[in-house]
Amino acid sequence: KMTMSKQRINISDKGKVDAIEGKGDVERLQPDKRETLNKVDSSIRKDFLKLGFARWGKSWLPIIQLGPYDVAPGPVRDTWMNFFLNTQKRPRLVYWYGSSKENLSKSFSFLSKGAIISVEEGDIKGYSTLPPRLTKKLTSEKKLTAKEKLILNGLREIKEELQLSKANRVSWLK
């Protein structure tokens, strides 16, 4: 079984998306949603709602990989659909933890699979801890830059989301 948002997607014995379970009810997917998800390669589907890190300038920031139905209808989903339906490219839709939730327009990116590393690899490389200069700045109560706030808030958010099941991650996005 694969999970998405606050719902669980049932995969049939043949590896096809069958239904979405949510709060005890089983809802049949709209045919177009089911068909779309069934056309997504399983190696991509398994990464939906998976946490990791990706490069943002010179820093590695926390991200979550999303599927098209993990975000509300609108430009982000439309862009994902455009990539999926009209190109051979299969970039990963990611949300950058620490981004402003009041203005989500700059909170998403489309990255190649190779541009993303797992949470475990990020831990090994030290990306899941505050950089020493940021720790020093916090200790001395100096004002943080926008990027430093992004790093600080992003690490807080990913640590909170790590405690949640995949089904409950980024539930506020919809």
Side-chain angles (χ1 to χ4, degrees), residues 46-94:
K46 75 174 177 56
D47 287 341
F48 290 168
L49 299 173
K50 188 174 180 183
L51 304 174
F53 291 88
R55 186 178 292 278
W56 179 297
K58 295 180 182 179
S59 301
W60 284 84
L61 300 181
I63 55 98
I64 185 168
Q65 296 181 63
L66 301 170
Y69 303 110
D70 293 322
V71 295
V76 174
R77 185 185 292 177
D78 293 345
T79 302
W80 188 97
M81 291 295 183
N82 186 46
F83 273 120
F84 183 74
L85 298 172
N86 299 317
T87 71
Q88 293 299 313
K89 294 180 183 179
R90 296 294 184 247
R92 306 302 174 97
L93 169 59
V94 301

Side-chain angles (χ1 to χ4, degrees), residues 74-126:
V76 174
R77 185 185 292 177
D78 293 345
T79 302
W80 188 97
M81 291 295 183
N82 186 46
F83 273 120
F84 183 74
L85 298 172
N86 299 317
T87 71
Q88 293 299 313
K89 294 180 183 179
R90 296 294 184 247
R92 306 302 174 97
L93 169 59
V94 301
Y95 168 77
W96 298 94
Y97 283 115
S99 299
S100 170
K101 291 179 183 169
E102 288 78 40
N103 180 7
L104 292 172
S105 64
K106 295 180 181 177
S107 303
F108 300 94
S109 294
F110 290 89
L111 305 174
S112 68
K113 179 181 169 102
I116 298 168
I117 63 170
S118 69
V119 169
E120 296 80 13
E121 188 176 346
D123 281 343
I124 291 167
K125 293 184 175 192

Side-chain angles (χ1 to χ4, degrees), residues 7 44 71 117 128-129 162:
Q7 303 168 329
I44 295 172
V71 295
I117 63 170
S128 60
T129 58
L162 273 167

